[in-house]
Amino acid sequence: MTDQNTQHPLAMLDSTRAFIAAPRRMLIDGEWRESETGETIDVINPADASVLCRVPGASERDVDLAVRAARRAFDDSAWSRMKPTDRERLLLRAADAIEAHAREFAELEALDNGKSAAVAEALDVSMAAQCFRYMAGWATKIEGSTVDASIPYSPSNAYFGYTRKEAVGVVGAIIPWNFPLLMAAWKLAPALAAGCTVVLKPAEDTPLSALRLGELLQETGFPAGVVNIITGYGRTAGAALAKHPGLDKIAFTGSTPTGKAIGHAALDNMTRMSLELGGKSPVIVLPDVDIERAAEGVANAIFFNSGQVCTAGSRVYVHEKVFDRVMERVAAIADSMKLGPGLDPSTQIGPLVSARQLDRVLGYIDAGHAEGARAIAGGARGDGTGFFVKPTVLVDTDHSMRVVREEIFGPVLVAMRFSDTDAVVKQANDTPYGLGASIWSNDLAQVHKLIPRIKAGTVWVNCHSLLDNAVPFGGFKQSGFGRELGRAALDMYTETKSVLINHA
Ligand code: ADP
C-alpha cells in the first residue's frame, strides 16, 4: 500500500488555475451574481483539506429569483419560439464546447471532488459531452400519436384525436457530488432538448464544474434565464428549490433520505418528479468464472471513484468453490492501489469528497469490526491530511450487519459466499434498494435465469456500472423512480396533451 498526499505542487492548466483564483458567482437570469445575503461557501480540496475558492450560498430569495427567471424564459422568450432544430444546434454546440475544455473540466473535478483527472477526462467529461450530443438528436424527434376516436355517445359527430408531447416547463435539478459535471449533463441535456428551462443546484461540496459549464452554455448562445445555476447548501437552497411552487418538475439524484424529503415537498405542489437514489448493489460471481477476470471486475465495481458511485458493487456473493481464490485476489488488488490526489496521473484511488464523508465511511468500517467482520484489505484511513480511506474488503459478514444492509458510499466491499442459486437471489434482493446488480459468468443458461429474478433497474453481465447514453438508467424499490438517459429521459421532461377535434 502506498499513500501520498498533496505536499508537492501538481501541474494544471492556466485556465483551471484562473478559474479557482477568484471567488465564483452563480448564474441567475443570464447574470453572474453573489448571494443577496452575501453568504459564501468554502470549496475544499479533499486531497489536502485546503480551501480552493468560494462560491455564493444561495438564499431562499436567490432561489426564487432563479425560478422566476426560468419561468419568464419558458413563457415568453426567444427560447419558447425556438424550433427543435435550433435547440438541437445549441445542444450540439454545447457538446463541442465541453470537449474543447475537456482537460480543464477534468482538473476542476479532480480538485473539487478528488477523483483522478485522467479518469474524469476519459469518462465523466466525454460522457457529459456525449450526453448533450445524444439528447440533441431527440430535440427533433419528440412525437405524439394520432387516434381515430369513436365516441359511442356522440355517434353523429366525427372526431379526430392526436397527442402532443409538450415541454413540462420549469425544471429544478438537484445533483450530487460524486459525478458533478456528468450529473449536470444528465439533467440539463434532456430538459433543454425537450424545451424546458432549468434551475440547477450542484452539491455544495462540488459546485465548480457546473459553474464553468454555465459559462460555456452562455457563450454557446442559450438565452438568459434558460439555464440558471445556483450554489448553496441542501438544507437551505436545495430545500427552497424543492418546495418552490413555481417549478413544474424536480429532477434529483442523491441519497434516499434526501430524495424522500424532496419528494414530499414536491408532492405538495404536485410538481412532477424523478428521483435517482441510493443503492447497495450486489455482485454475483458464479463458479465457472476466470478468477483473475472476476477479481478485477469485483475490485473495479467497488473501488471505481473511491466507491462513491450509486451503483457501486458494494456486496459481493461468490460461489463457495471459488470464494477463497477470488477474494484473495480482490484483496491483493485493493492493497496494491495507489492513493493520491486526482491531479497525480499515477493515482488509482482519490480521497473521499469531504471530511463528513470520511467520518461516515470510517464509522461504517468501525461498525463492521464491532459486528464481527474481518478486514482482509484496508480497514483504515490513508495517510496525510486529505480525506483518504484505504480500499477495504470485509469478510465474515452477514445480512444482520449494518455494513451489509446500508449504503456506505466509499471504498468498502463486503463479501459473502454462497452455494445455491435460489439462496443467492434471495440475498441479492434482501435490500431496500434496487439500482444495479452484476452477474459474472459465461454460463448463459444460469445468467438468463438470474436476470429476471434480480430486482434492480440495471443488471450487468461480466461488467459493472457501465452506462450508455442510449440505455435507460434508474432504480427499482427505494432506489427511486423514473428513468434517465435513452428515449425514456424525454418522457421525464414532457407532458402529454390530448387533442380531440370534432370535424363532422
Ligand atoms: P449527501 O448527504 O451525501 O450530501 P444528499 O443526497 O443529501 O447526499 O445530497 C445530494 C444533493 O441534495 C446535494 O446537492 C445537496 O445539497 C442536496 N440536498 C441535501 N439536502 C437537501 C434537502 N433537504 N432538500 C433539497 N436538497 C437537498
Side-chain angles (χ1 to χ4, degrees):
M1 171 74 60
T2 41
D3 288 359
Q4 192 175 318
N5 61 30
T6 49
Q7 296 317 309
H8 58 286
L10 290 157
M12 70 175 100
L13 297 174
D14 288 345
S15 52
T16 309
R17 212 178 284 283
F19 192 77
I20 56 172
R24 306 309 318 176
R25 295 176 175 181
M26 54 190 176
L27 180 60
I28 298 178
D29 206 9
E31 286 176 14
W32 292 94
R33 302 191 190 190
E34 316 281 358
S35 163
E36 52 103 44
T37 60
E39 186 187 349
T40 57
I41 299 174
D42 287 344
V43 182
I44 307 292
N45 179 350
D48 59 9
S50 63
V51 177
L52 284 168
C53 71
R54 285 197 302 278
V55 297
S59 67
E60 195 161 346
R61 167 131 174 82
D62 295 316
V63 171
D64 185 54
L65 287 174
V67 173
R68 284 173 194 278
R71 173 61 59 195
R72 279 194 302 279
F74 184 75
D75 284 345
D76 35 59
S77 80
W79 179 247
S80 59
R81 292 187 296 276
M82 220 176 242
K83 298 255 181 299
T85 44
D86 296 327
R87 293 204 304 275
E88 177 189 36
R89 192 171 297 122
L90 280 177
L91 284 159
L92 289 173
R93 273 196 222 143
D96 292 343
I98 293 169
E99 272 173 357
H101 296 82
R103 181 66 200 172
E104 188 184 334
F105 274 119
E107 290 179 0
L108 287 175
E109 297 294 62
L111 288 167
D112 201 359
N113 164 281
K115 64 177 66 196
S116 152
V119 174
E121 187 170 352
L123 197 148
D124 304 45
V125 184
S126 75
M127 287 289 285
Q130 196 54 42
C131 182
F132 273 89
R133 199 164 282 134
Y134 173 83
M135 291 300 167
W138 279 118
T140 56
K141 294 161 197 73
I142 298 170
E143 298 170 339
S145 57
T146 57
V147 184
D148 273 336
S150 47
I151 298 170
Y153 51 83
S154 183
S156 54
N157 290 324
Y159 294 94
F160 171 68
Y162 68 97
T163 61
R164 290 170 48 77
K165 286 282 196 183
E166 299 183 354
V168 68
V170 176
V171 174
I174 300 179
I175 56 172
W177 43 258
N178 56 346
F179 293 91
L181 178 69
L182 187 59
M183 291 301 102
W186 279 26
K187 303 292 184 253
L188 287 169
L192 297 170
C196 298
T197 59
V198 185
V199 177
L200 173 75
K201 194 200 85 62
E204 52 271 44
D205 296 307
T206 55
L208 298 181
S209 56
L211 294 176
R212 185 69 184 106
L213 180 63
E215 291 182 345
L216 293 187
L217 294 180
Q218 264 192 316
E219 288 165 22
T220 303
F222 285 90
V226 171
V227 175
N228 306 274
I229 301 177
I230 51 164
T231 51
Y233 291 108
R235 62 179 181 276
T236 51
L241 186 59
K243 69 169 196 221
H244 200 294
L247 289 188
D248 298 299
K249 181 201 159 72
I250 187 114
F252 172 72
T253 298
S255 64
T256 294
T258 301
K260 286 181 184 176
I262 288 174
H264 284 296
L267 198 63
D268 276 345
N269 297 313
M270 222 39 97
T271 305
R272 277 79 182 115
M273 66 181 99
S274 48
L275 306 171
E276 199 265 276
L277 308 177
K280 188 77 183 174
S281 300
V283 175
I284 300 173
V285 181
L286 298 186
D288 67 288
V289 288
D290 173 88
I291 302 290
E292 184 60 30
R293 192 170 164 220
E296 277 171 23
V298 170
N300 273 331
I302 181 63
F303 299 133
F304 170 60
N305 216 41
S306 301
Q308 302 169 123
V309 180
C310 49
T311 55
S314 49
R315 294 182 284 150
V316 66
Y317 301 91
V318 186
H319 192 276
E320 60 184 4
K321 278 194 192 147
V322 289
F323 182 92
D324 290 338
R325 280 180 292 153
V326 170
M327 291 319 299
E328 205 172 281
R329 197 53 206 121
V330 173
I333 295 171
D335 280 338
S336 73
M337 294 184 92
K338 186 173 172 227
L339 278 69
L343 285 183
D344 182 338
S346 66
T347 288
Q348 290 172 302
I349 285 252
L352 300 186
V353 73
S354 62
R356 185 172 69 106
Q357 195 60 15
L358 175 72
D359 287 348
R360 192 181 135 85
V361 172
L362 291 176
Y364 272 111
I365 292 175
D366 288 347
H369 284 138
E371 286 178 311
R374 180 167 56 90
I376 56 167
R381 184 176 178 170
D383 297 339
T385 51
F387 310 136
F388 294 96
V389 171
K390 294 180 180 175
T392 296
V393 180
L394 299 177
V395 294
D396 300 342
T397 52
D398 65 53
H399 274 240
S400 69
M401 297 179 177
R402 282 181 59 211
V403 281
V404 174
R405 306 199 66 80
E406 298 178 17
E407 183 177 39
I408 299 176
F409 225 68
V412 181
L413 175 66
V414 295
M416 283 152 288
R417 60 182 85 216
F418 73 93
S419 54
D420 166 65
T421 313
D422 285 341
V424 81
V425 167
K426 213 165 155 228
Q427 283 184 307
N429 290 333
D430 179 21
T431 167
Y433 298 111
L435 197 55
S438 64
I439 304 168
W440 295 78
S441 171
N442 284 320
D443 183 339
L444 269 184
Q446 280 292 350
V447 169
H448 279 286
K449 269 186 211 142
L450 279 171
I451 291 170
R453 300 180 70 189
I454 302 291
K455 302 270 178 271
T458 302
V459 176
W460 289 280
V461 179
N462 297 328
C463 57
H464 194 102
S465 289
L466 290 196
L467 299 169
D468 186 279
N469 283 301
V471 180
F473 177 78
F476 283 24
K477 302 198 281 183
Q478 295 204 19
S479 291
F481 47 80
R483 290 292 179 273
E484 304 196 83
L485 306 181
R487 178 195 286 263
L490 270 298
D491 291 338
M492 303 209 309
Y493 295 97
T494 51
E495 286 272 26
T496 300
K497 179 178 282 173
S498 299
V499 182
L500 266 183
I501 299 174
N502 179 352
H503 59 91

